[in-house]
């Protein structure tokens, strides 16, 4: 039986709109071990200090600290936590900075709960895939520690893994895997 990662994961949802925060919590609670909420980035950082959190879902526009600023602070202190940003302003080019600072995904509001949950589940899988790849080739990877590797933006991790695997393939240290029919 396939193990569902979401049932063992703790989630923190950050949004200054209390009604929306309550709605998201109700939608996510059946799918995750625990769902905590924060009404601001400052409150979120306080919760992160006191709880082991696997994923943060944050709004972009909030007083005191916007979602991108929160992502920067999360990455500095909690580099392995996954982050998804929600925004009602997806056409703002500044939003893309969230990916640069380590967000797994950006989801435009309004969104369907099933889409959010699916993307959250996918983001929880990525660090495991990277750790498995690291275990397979890690002792020869250019990045010295897995923590350093995992704190890079995902596109950089995948680029580094692809480059390294191509190098191993060219040197004959691994075999090309034939594609399925």
């Amino acid at each position: 039986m396939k193990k569902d990662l979401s049932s063992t994961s703790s989630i923190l949802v950050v949004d200054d709109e209390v009604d929306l925060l309550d709605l998201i919590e109700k939608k996510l609670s059946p799918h995750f071990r625990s769902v905590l909420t924060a009404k601001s980035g400052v409150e979120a950082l306080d919760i992160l200090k006191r709880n082991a959190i696997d994923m943060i879902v944050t709004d972009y526009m909030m007083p005191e600290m916007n979602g991108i600023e929160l992502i920067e602070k999360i990455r500095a202190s909690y580099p392995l936590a996954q982050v998804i940003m929600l925004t009602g302003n997806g056409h703002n080019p500044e939003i893309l900075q969230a990916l640069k600072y380590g967000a797994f995904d950006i989801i435009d509001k309004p969104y369907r709960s099933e889409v959010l949950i699916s993307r959250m589940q996918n983001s929880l899988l990525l660090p495991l895939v990277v750790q498995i790849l690291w275990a397979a080739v890690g002792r020869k990877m250019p990045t010295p520690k897995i923590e350093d590797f995992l704190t890079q933006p995902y596109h950089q991790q995948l680029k580094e893994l692809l480059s390294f695997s191509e190098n191993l393939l060219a040197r004959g240290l691994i075999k090309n895997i034939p594609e399925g029919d």
Side-chain angles (χ1 to χ4, degrees), residues 8-114:
T8 63
S9 300
S10 295
I11 309 301
L12 173 60
V13 182
V14 188
D15 200 311
D16 60 319
E17 295 180 43
V18 177
D19 292 340
L20 184 58
L21 194 61
D22 291 341
L23 179 64
I24 294 171
E25 179 184 17
K26 286 176 186 165
K27 294 283 187 178
L28 297 181
S29 290
H31 302 278
F32 298 95
R33 180 172 51 92
S34 68
V35 179
L36 302 173
T37 61
K39 294 181 247 3
S40 70
V42 173
E43 185 181 349
L45 293 172
D46 186 52
I47 289 171
L48 284 165
K49 287 178 189 172
R50 296 180 280 117
N51 298 276
I53 302 293
D54 301 299
M55 167 171 282
I56 298 96
V57 176
T58 184
D59 188 27
Y60 169 64
M61 290 297 293
M62 297 182 292
E64 297 177 27
M65 177 187 316
N66 70 33
I68 293 172
E69 294 166 330
L70 177 59
I71 290 169
E72 288 182 87
K73 291 182 184 299
I74 289 169
R75 281 290 162 248
S77 299
Y78 310 96
L80 302 181
Q82 298 300 300
V83 182
I84 290 180
M85 178 175 283
L86 303 176
T87 181
N89 194 10
H91 299 291
N92 180 346
E94 185 178 310
I95 298 294
L96 295 178
Q97 293 296 311
L99 298 174
K100 176 183 174 186
Y101 292 114
F104 176 80
D105 205 349
I106 300 169
I107 300 176
D108 283 325
K109 293 177 184 178
Y111 57 87
R112 292 188 7 233
S113 298
E114 306 83 45

